[in-house]
Amino acid sequence: MASKTIKIAYLYEDLMNTYGDSGDVKIIRFLLKKQGYSTQIDNISLGDKFDAFDYDFVFFGGGQDFEQTVIAKDLPRHKETLTKYINNGKPMLGVCGGYQLVGTYYKTNSGVTIKGLDILPFHTVFKADKRMIGDTRYMSEWGEVRAFENHSGQTYFDDPDKLHPLGTMIEGYGNNPQDHVEGLRYRNFIGTYSHGPILKNLNVANAIVKMILEWHDERMKKAATDKTV
């Protein structure tokens, strides 16, 4: 039954999958299966057409500088649909590079500024002399999260009144060495530097599954209504 199939868009799966971030999608699939749902996972890669509202969940993993440079040229095609999707409170998880590219820009180690999607007001600056690596712990709205971080990018909010951190640091660096916070929560968009994968923390995973199922029910009802019109 279509109504029992959850559709997941994995943005640039073939290019953005460092530190086992694909494990986040596997965990979501496992938890959904326990609730009686099947999953359809589509890799949205270079040149592919994409409408975020066709999906119940969008995932955007991390990648190296070179891969991020490549997809940054392709990504603007999806700005309109992702902007509407995020601002309408639909569930999306961006990890590391997939988090950074939703912001205004990131500046590479060589000083080159690469434009992000400019959906949310934050930016990232790479500082090669300050690599933030190791185990990380922080307190989120769903409780404590344990993960692993490995990044030179330091992320800063340009509008702290609009954006809220995912968590407050207990151990590790998080977004940057100064602010003592990790990640970002804007409506149902979650950005994070947490690898491991982050969704091995079932408190976070179950919260995202709840978001997915709520949006799935809404999407199915809308589809049924459209058929009768």
Side-chain angles (χ1 to χ4, degrees):
M1 294 175 59
S3 63
K4 297 293 288 185
T5 299
I6 302 296
K7 294 182 65 179
I8 297 176
Y10 192 147
L11 301 184
Y12 306 98
E13 177 184 9
D14 48 342
L15 295 169
M16 302 287 279
N17 180 27
T18 56
Y19 309 117
D21 290 337
S22 62
D24 287 316
V25 174
K26 293 175 182 176
I27 291 167
I28 290 291
R29 181 175 61 189
F30 173 77
L31 293 175
L32 287 168
K33 184 177 181 180
K34 287 180 66 176
Q35 296 194 43
Y37 292 87
S38 61
T39 52
Q40 174 187 323
I41 302 169
D42 293 342
N43 172 31
I44 310 299
S45 194
L46 301 175
D48 290 342
K49 293 182 179 180
F50 169 62
D51 183 346
F53 287 90
D54 289 337
Y55 292 90
D56 302 300
F57 179 56
V58 177
F59 180 77
F60 198 0
Q64 303 299 320
D65 280 1
F66 174 75
E67 283 80 7
Q68 286 186 220
T69 302
V70 171
I71 70 166
K73 298 175 182 177
D74 185 72
L75 194 56
R77 297 185 302 110
H78 306 314
K79 177 176 179 176
E80 182 178 359
T81 187
L82 286 172
T83 299
K84 291 179 180 177
Y85 184 87
I86 290 170
N87 282 321
N88 276 274
K90 308 313 178 189
M92 178 173 174
L93 174 61
V95 180
C96 203
Y99 167 26
Q100 295 166 349
L101 286 168
V102 173
T104 54
Y105 69 87
Y106 69 92
K107 188 173 288 187
T108 68
N109 291 335
S110 61
V112 176
T113 298
I114 297 176
K115 291 183 179 180
L117 286 174
D118 196 19
I119 296 174
L120 297 176
F122 68 90
H123 69 278
T124 302
V125 179
F126 282 70
K127 297 187 178 180
D129 61 339
K130 187 60 177 178
R131 188 152 196 89
M132 293 167 281
I133 183 170
D135 292 331
T136 182
R137 290 194 300 137
Y138 51 93
M139 188 60 65
S140 75
E141 64 185 278
W142 305 297
E144 186 174 314
V145 178
R146 293 172 177 262
F148 178 80
E149 62 182 346
N150 186 359
H151 56 108
S152 293
Q154 298 185 18
T155 293
Y156 298 90
F157 294 171
D158 299 315
D159 187 351
D161 292 332
K162 180 175 182 178
L163 306 180
H164 301 282
L166 176 61
T168 303
M169 298 308 299
I170 300 171
E171 175 185 351
Y173 295 98
N175 284 345
N176 60 67
Q178 295 84 36
D179 294 338
H180 308 294
V181 296
E182 155 59 28
L184 177 152
R185 174 81 190 275
Y186 172 76
R187 298 184 179 177
N188 285 332
F189 172 82
I190 295 171
T192 182
Y193 280 110
S194 296
H195 300 288
I198 183 177
L199 296 187
K200 69 181 181 181
N201 296 274
L202 293 181
N203 50 349
V204 182
N206 285 322
I208 291 178
V209 166
K210 182 180 179 182
M211 296 175 195
I212 292 170
L213 292 179
E214 287 175 352
W215 164 225
H216 175 74
D217 288 345
E218 179 185 340
R219 195 170 69 83
M220 291 298 100
K221 288 176 183 177
K222 183 179 184 302
T225 301
D226 290 346
K227 284 183 180 179
T228 61
V229 173

